[in-house]
Amino acid sequence: FQAIAAPIFKLLECVVDLAVPIITARIIDTGLSGVVAADKRYVINGCLLIVFLGIAGLAVCVISQYFSAAAAVGFSSELRRAAFSHIHSLDFTTRRALGSDTLITRVTGDINQVQNGLNLFLRLVMRSPFIVFGSVIMAFTINARIALVFAAAVPVFAAALFIIMRFTAPLYKLAQSKLDDVVGVTRSTISGARVIRAFGREDAELARFASSSDALARVQTRAGFLSALTNPLSGVIINLAVIGILYFGALEFSVGSITGGAIVALVNYMAQISVEL
């Protein structure tokens, strides 16, 4: 139930988010069409409607987050029980071949990763595509020419993210194996603490742990560096797109083909696409 309810409420949140820029455009074009002729009642009613939509969006967002978390935690709990039971059903040879450190990591860290991934998936599987494609569609309903900027920016942005993910995914996979090594060294050191002290092997064990820990740190640092490129790269693409919207919007505005409020709405839709991607 939670896995179905979470995307549904997230979809309702998307509808609210897509409606706000249109309402803002109408407030600017209708309520603030002139300093003297400004319709204060229309502006106030529009602002109250935006506040109401904000509260409604917050409510459905909280409900969606709750269902996403409940579904992810419930699934990970059942998966952890099943994995632990399956490990006990394995014969000694298989367990020895897999290694205790690998089995410990699978039952703890890996399942936690699955839990976080499922939580994010339920929260974003409906929201991100709906917001991105919904914003593009809304842009075409406002002005088809300027919407071509959206049609060009979204594929470029998606391609850049795909390239970054293609390089970082193998690194994160390698980091998992390095984490197994760290867990293995830690487990062997703790379980054999008396033997290590008896033979004076403390320095050797510290060096062994430092070596495995440094190897994990190097892989995670490389992956983090590549992932960190997402923000500046996305910022460049989105800002260029906003410049395009303002430039072509000014040309359309000069001939009366678009209003100021519509230009503001287009910029808001591009900002929403930036956040989702």
Side-chain angles (χ1 to χ4, degrees), residues 1 11 45 53 75 78-79 82 89 92 110 114 116 118 151 169 173 184 187 214 229 233 236 246 253 260 265:
F1 171 76
L11 183 62
N45 291 337
L53 291 176
F75 175 78
E78 294 297 326
L79 182 60
S89 68
F92 178 77
D110 287 357
V114 172
N116 294 332
L118 181 60
K173 194 173 183 179
R187 180 186 58 81
D214 291 342
L229 295 176
L233 187 60
V236 170
L246 295 177
F253 183 80

Side-chain angles (χ1 to χ4, degrees), residues 158-227:
L161 293 180
F162 175 79
I163 293 173
I164 293 176
M165 290 174 61
R166 187 173 183 180
F167 284 100
T168 55
L171 291 176
Y172 283 120
K173 194 173 183 179
L174 179 61
Q176 286 297 106
S177 65
K178 297 298 182 183
L179 180 61
D180 289 346
D181 296 338
V182 173
V183 173
V185 172
T186 305
R187 180 186 58 81
S188 63
T189 301
I190 293 176
S191 61
R194 291 185 177 180
V195 177
I196 293 171
R197 289 178 181 176
F199 288 91
R201 299 285 298 174
E202 292 92 339
D203 293 338
E205 289 299 313
L206 287 172
R208 192 160 70 101
F209 178 82
S211 177
S212 60
S213 179
D214 291 342
L216 174 61
R218 285 193 296 269
V219 174
Q220 289 183 327
T221 301
R222 288 172 57 193
F225 173 76
L226 292 176
S227 298

Side-chain angles (χ1 to χ4, degrees), residues 1-4 6 65-76 118-119 122:
F1 171 76
Q2 291 93 338
I4 298 175
Q65 302 286 63
Y66 170 79
F67 284 134
S68 299
V73 171
F75 175 78
S76 63
L118 181 60
N119 190 3
L122 292 175

Side-chain angles (χ1 to χ4, degrees), residues 27-44:
I27 292 175
I28 295 174
D29 294 335
T30 303
L32 300 175
S33 56
V35 178
V36 179
D39 190 342
K40 294 183 180 180
R41 178 173 296 182
Y42 188 91
V43 173
I44 294 174

